Amino acid sequence: MTHTTAPHAAPQPRTPAHTDPRRPARTLIRRLTRSRVLLAAAPVALMTVVALTDLLTPDWLHVSPVMVAVPVLASVLLPLWVTASLSCAALAVTALLQADAGQYGRPDSDVVLFSLFVVGLTSMAACCLRGRRERQLQQVRSVAETAQRALMHPLPHRIGALALRGVYLPAESEARIGGDFYEALPTPYGTRILVGDVRGKGLPAVGASAALLGAFRELAYQERSLTRVAERLDERARRQIAAVDGILEDGRTDSALFTERFATALLVEFPPGEHVARLVHCGHPEPFLVHSGRVHGLLLDQPGAPLGLGDLLDTAPPVQILPFGPGDRLLLYTDGFIEARDRRGRFLDLTARVEAHAGRPLEAMVAGLRRDLVRHVHGDLGDDAALVALERLPGRPDSAHPEPRHPGR
């Protein structure tokens, strides 16, 4: 358990800030755009340097053949029309240099010009192929973001006496979308929260996340016991595993071992009229509790098995009761926050970051943790990361109905 002392600021009414899951991608795109603008001058600079060097060097030294690097460099950095223009310019400048040196029309000069012509055509073809691949990847990313937005409903900013803030950061590498998910629902049994992470990437993980979220949205209203909700989610996860891995009628698998597929989850319930939180742990990273300005890492006594692997244990996942009074905060997250590495391979110290932001308002704390993660990985997330922060507000009665969501969400 980690302790630190930090001044705890009373929550102030604030205009809800929207957490856009596409913001990291937009930031990375802006950085790439600025870098491409700077690199766009490289082919022109290379052509200028080669021409000046060829003019200023003695007649026995000719560097004009280096001009073939201009269209190659342009095809990597620039659009097709710019690559074609620079290829023609490089060919024309080389011809002028050959004429100035009195070599135009000689066999060696013809070889250089023909080589430059062939390299220019090849570079334009490569540029076309690169552009097509980039458009395909952009379409895949667009589909992935649309699927993720349809799957993840925005959190209400307040449910009764609870203030909520959530953030979801998709992986930046290629078009990988993962199985991180969260949901918060007001039910007759109190506010119920689910945070989870499906093992794996791509459409199978998204399908499993959709199945678990859909099941939770029904079970949270139907089941009185939070443990029973976890058991029913485990059953749904096992059925999803069977569907993905192709379980045959006789019980054998025709693909990967189904125990390799599972989902970690953490279920939290805030019963009405009680200043407690009930937690059911299903193999998920332990949450943080901020109480009286101190940060506590909660080590649950009897963690349950991940969803989909519940048949490996003989008992149902137990419920742990945690005092949760006015001003207390609970921080739930997925492993994308604790397994994120920087360029030196170092993990993000989430405990230290939570301690650094514990005294700030809830919205500022979540924004700070998100910013710390993006800076730590330099904008290149290798895995999805989700985080949900909750705070019990003083002087507000519990309610089974959320306040209206912000129209911008």
Side-chain angles (χ1 to χ4, degrees), residues 238 241-256 258:
R238 277 182 279 173
I241 290 169
V244 172
D245 283 344
I247 300 295
L248 302 178
E249 294 181 358
D250 58 1
R252 294 181 293 107
T253 62
D254 61 353
S255 61
F258 74 90

Side-chain angles (χ1 to χ4, degrees), residues 248-317:
L248 302 178
E249 294 181 358
D250 58 1
R252 294 181 293 107
T253 62
D254 61 353
S255 61
L257 185 64
F258 74 90
T259 52
E260 294 181 356
R261 298 186 183 275
F262 57 86
T264 64
L266 187 65
L267 291 86
V268 186
E269 178 184 86
F270 300 91
E274 301 181 38
H275 288 175
V276 298
R278 298 172 181 165
L279 290 80
V280 173
H281 183 273
C282 300
H284 200 73
E286 289 77 9
F288 288 100
L289 173 67
V290 181
H291 174 71
S292 300
R294 295 179 178 270
V295 179
H296 308 268
L298 299 179
L299 298 178
L300 304 182
D301 298 333
Q302 296 179 332
L307 301 179
L309 303 179
D311 54 345
L312 300 180
L313 299 180
D314 297 332
T315 60

